[in-house]
Amino acid sequence: MKKQLLTAVAVLASLCGFAQTQGTNTLGLGVSVNQNRSESNDGFEINSSKDNLSTFLLSYGYFIKDNQKLFVNLNYSKNKLSYTDYPRSININVYGGSVGYQHYFPLLNSFYAYAAGSGGYNHTRNDKSENNNEYNHNVRRNEYYLNGSGGLAWFFSEHFAIEADLISLNASYADFKATTSTLQAFSSQNNKARTFNLSSQGAINNLGFRIYFLF
């Protein structure tokens, strides 16, 4: 029994060692899909609204040293909002990417804590239309950001791991252009903004959960 236990521990240790060994590659995927729908009845008609949000993250990483990884992330999200009371729809698309560094700290067996830092870019397209395109409002937003995050990782097999962000800290700079057109007029507006945020959730649309394939 004792020999079997020691063998199991040795196997587990070898898997954990492989997962964070220099030269290991990782492919990661994160997916989040949310749908909210509501209805109201004022006695004359039934009005409804619907909000569909989908977020996808694709990540590649390479361990330059044991427990030290460089990574590249690509992200995309789509948010569609529609209403029936005053017919209108809003489509929000976000495209982006980031590069960063991640360091793992052993906790217990296959569990690790990690700290990561990254810099990235997001482009947002926000299109709103009403009354069969009689009114259109379009926003184009460019965001540049620096992000620091920390969380937990579980390397539960030789080729698979799960990570979850627990806290994130980010600063960003953004500029955006808004244009509005109607049947009677056209207007344009340019703005710039700086933000600083401390959050207990994931950095990309609250997407703080990812699964990785290691090879």
Side-chain angles (χ1 to χ4, degrees):
M1 180 67 182
K2 183 177 180 180
K3 183 178 180 180
Q4 292 175 344
L5 179 61
L6 291 176
T7 302
V9 171
V11 171
L12 181 59
S14 67
L15 296 182
C16 296
F18 174 84
Q20 300 84 26
T21 300
Q22 180 179 354
T24 299
N25 297 276
T26 66
L27 286 177
L29 178 65
V31 178
S32 175
V33 178
N34 295 289
Q35 184 180 92
N36 295 308
R37 184 168 185 172
S38 62
E39 290 187 354
S40 62
N41 189 340
D42 59 7
F44 298 96
E45 61 180 355
I46 298 177
N47 300 313
S48 66
S49 64
K50 186 165 61 174
D51 180 1
N52 294 306
L53 173 62
S54 301
T55 303
F56 305 91
L57 173 70
L58 180 64
S59 176
Y60 169 76
Y62 179 77
F63 280 88
I64 55 174
K65 293 183 178 180
D66 291 357
N67 298 327
Q68 299 183 49
K69 182 178 73 174
L70 296 180
F71 63 85
V72 178
N73 291 333
L74 297 176
N75 59 277
Y76 168 72
S77 66
K78 181 176 183 179
N79 192 7
K80 183 176 182 180
L81 302 94
S82 57
Y83 308 86
T84 60
D85 54 343
Y86 184 63
R88 61 195 188 278
S89 63
I90 302 174
N91 295 300
I92 304 172
N93 293 280
V94 181
Y95 310 84
S98 63
V99 295
Y101 167 82
Q102 191 167 359
H103 195 113
Y104 293 85
F105 304 92
L107 293 178
L108 178 64
N109 294 332
S110 55
F111 290 93
Y112 287 72
Y114 64 80
S118 63
Y121 166 78
N122 283 325
H123 175 71
T124 302
R125 301 171 60 92
N126 183 349
D127 301 316
K128 176 182 179 181
S129 63
E130 298 179 2
N131 289 342
N132 295 319
N133 292 322
E134 291 182 6
Y135 171 86
N136 289 284
H137 181 68
N138 304 312
V139 176
R140 302 293 180 263
R141 184 174 189 267
N142 297 297
E143 179 187 24
Y144 308 87
Y145 64 87
L146 295 174
N147 175 262
S149 62
L152 294 175
W154 178 29
F155 293 85
F156 60 89
S157 78
E158 182 178 359
H159 293 293
F160 290 96
I162 294 176
E163 289 185 358
D165 289 344
L166 299 181
I167 189 170
S168 66
L169 179 69
N170 60 77
S172 66
Y173 170 82
D175 62 81
F176 64 92
K177 180 178 181 180
T179 59
T180 301
S181 63
T182 66
L183 294 179
Q184 294 79 26
F186 174 84
S187 66
S188 178
Q189 179 183 7
N190 292 282
N191 292 279
K192 297 181 179 180
R194 296 177 179 85
T195 64
F196 180 80
N197 181 51
L198 176 63
S199 172
S200 60
Q201 298 176 321
I204 305 175
N205 294 319
N206 298 332
L207 183 62
F209 174 80
R210 300 169 298 276
I211 185 167
Y212 288 94
F213 173 70
L214 301 101
F215 58 99

